[in-house]
Amino acid sequence: LYIAMEYVDGCTLHKYLKNNGGPLQEDYAVELMCKILDAMEHVREMGLVHRDIKPSNIIVKPNKDICVIDFGIAKDIHSNGMTTGRCILGTNGYMSPEQAEGGLTIDSRTDIYSLGCVLFYMVTGVHAIQTRGSDLETRLAIIKESFPRAKDYNPLISDKLQSVIDRAVNTNMLK
């Protein structure tokens, strides 16, 4: 058995930052994030939640367009049933608090949180939530610890961009 898929030329956002020596300039990071948001809007319109947004699941093409990949754990928001029981799905450091808790309140806001983590990574070159000694310790950090400020890692970030990141990673889903 096999699955035929389109070949996407380019490299992951993670590799792109490594190849370019670290964090992106704010204006370029915003430009790329706008392209990522356009793709994610299409995902939302299709009634899906990706649930695994991270730098290694975003391809930057040679023409600087992007492609979001790996929909292996995507969820149909119109589905009434649980797709995985109480399994915790996502990538440590990029999963939302509701994912880390194994909650059932997964919707497009889950992807927004992860996109905030990606934007943090784009402008700082570091992962906002560092992997701890175990998956449980990392998930507890996501749930209980304050999200770091990007400006503490890169003081050149504007207050406006810091505000965008803060809003995206707010642990209160209603905000």
Side-chain angles (χ1 to χ4, degrees), residues 147-165:
F147 198 89
R149 291 184 44 81
K151 285 182 77 89
D152 291 344
Y153 292 88
N154 182 350
L156 300 177
I157 295 169
S158 70
D159 291 338
K160 185 175 182 178
L161 186 64
Q162 180 63 61
S163 176
V164 168
I165 294 170

Side-chain angles (χ1 to χ4, degrees), residues 2-169:
Y2 60 90
I3 299 174
M5 298 187 300
E6 174 188 0
Y7 172 75
V8 180
D9 190 22
C11 64
T12 66
L13 182 58
H14 175 75
K15 190 173 183 178
Y16 188 76
L17 261 69
K18 285 179 90 171
N19 291 347
N20 289 297
L24 303 176
Q25 294 293 321
E26 181 174 331
D27 57 342
Y28 185 55
V30 169
E31 179 184 328
L32 278 183
M33 182 52 72
C34 286
K35 292 177 182 184
I36 296 166
L37 290 170
D38 284 344
M40 292 307 298
E41 177 65 13
H42 182 69
V43 170
R44 191 191 65 76
E45 288 172 355
M46 299 299 294
L48 298 174
V49 180
H50 189 284
R51 296 197 297 186
D52 199 19
I53 296 296
K54 59 186 176 183
S56 60
N57 281 343
I58 299 168
I59 302 289
V60 181
K61 298 178 180 182
N63 67 358
K64 305 299 185 251
D65 281 342
I66 62 95
C67 182
V68 177
I69 63 170
D70 193 359
F71 285 77
I73 63 170
K75 177 185 177 192
D76 181 346
I77 60 173
H78 303 299
S79 171
N80 290 331
M82 294 184 341
T83 57
T84 61
R86 296 276 296 169
C87 292
I88 295 173
L89 298 175
T91 298
N92 279 336
Y94 288 88
M95 72 171 64
S96 65
E98 57 272 17
Q99 284 176 288
E101 291 175 334
L104 304 177
T105 57
I106 305 297
D107 61 23
S108 59
R109 293 173 292 186
T110 294
D111 286 342
I112 291 170
Y113 180 93
S114 299
L115 288 164
C117 292
V118 168
L119 184 55
F120 180 100
Y121 177 73
M122 290 168 67
V123 296
T124 66
V126 299
H127 305 291
I129 307 295
Q130 300 296 316
T131 302
R132 304 304 201 281
S134 70
D135 286 348
L136 177 60
E137 289 175 309
T138 306
R139 288 194 309 272
L140 287 174
I142 292 167
I143 296 165
K144 295 181 184 277
E145 293 180 10
S146 296
F147 198 89
R149 291 184 44 81
K151 285 182 77 89
D152 291 344
Y153 292 88
N154 182 350
L156 300 177
I157 295 169
S158 70
D159 291 338
K160 185 175 182 178
L161 186 64
Q162 180 63 61
S163 176
V164 168
I165 294 170
D166 291 344
R167 186 163 181 205
V169 299

